Amino acid sequence: MNIEACVAAFYGNFFAVCPDIRSLFPDDLTQQEGKLLASLTHIAEALDDTGRLDSILQQQGEKHRKLDVSDAHFHGFISSFTSALADTLGPDWNSETQQAWARLLTHVAFKMDFLTRR
């Protein structure tokens, strides 16, 4: 899988679904794409450590709250990301994989929001 192509496809999808969010990003997305990959890596590495995961998600939630990221943006992120994964993985993508990624990303979005509201 070409993760760089997947991330680039994600941003294309995301800006099509949530055009209002495009202004929050730089014209050149190279660094942003790296930040997204780094965030996803940190989250994946912390999945077995609830305290560490909560800390990461709280920090991410605070950053996104300052930018007025809405539930619609989170939903757009999830659908755009899973769509980019599906396109990248092709025949290796199935409904079970779709459901697993959607559940994970929904959980991440919920925790980001919840941990910044307490």
Side-chain angles (χ1 to χ4, degrees), residues 59-79:
Q59 290 172 2
Q60 289 297 315
E62 289 167 356
K63 288 179 188 177
H64 287 80
R65 180 175 295 279
K66 290 177 186 173
L67 298 172
D68 291 326
V69 173
S70 69
D71 286 347
H73 295 134
F74 280 119
H75 292 295
F77 178 96
I78 293 165
S79 67

Side-chain angles (χ1 to χ4, degrees), residues 31-92:
Q31 286 185 333
Q32 182 61 38
E33 290 171 357
K35 288 179 183 180
L36 175 60
L37 287 174
S39 292
L40 292 172
T41 300
H42 292 307
I43 290 168
E45 290 171 347
L47 287 175
D48 292 331
D49 183 343
T50 303
R52 182 173 168 216
L53 181 61
D54 284 355
S55 176
I56 291 167
L57 296 180
Q58 183 174 4
Q59 290 172 2
Q60 289 297 315
E62 289 167 356
K63 288 179 188 177
H64 287 80
R65 180 175 295 279
K66 290 177 186 173
L67 298 172
D68 291 326
V69 173
S70 69
D71 286 347
H73 295 134
F74 280 119
H75 292 295
F77 178 96
I78 293 165
S79 67
S80 299
F81 194 82
T82 55
S83 176
L85 281 173
D87 291 345
T88 302
L89 292 173
D92 292 329

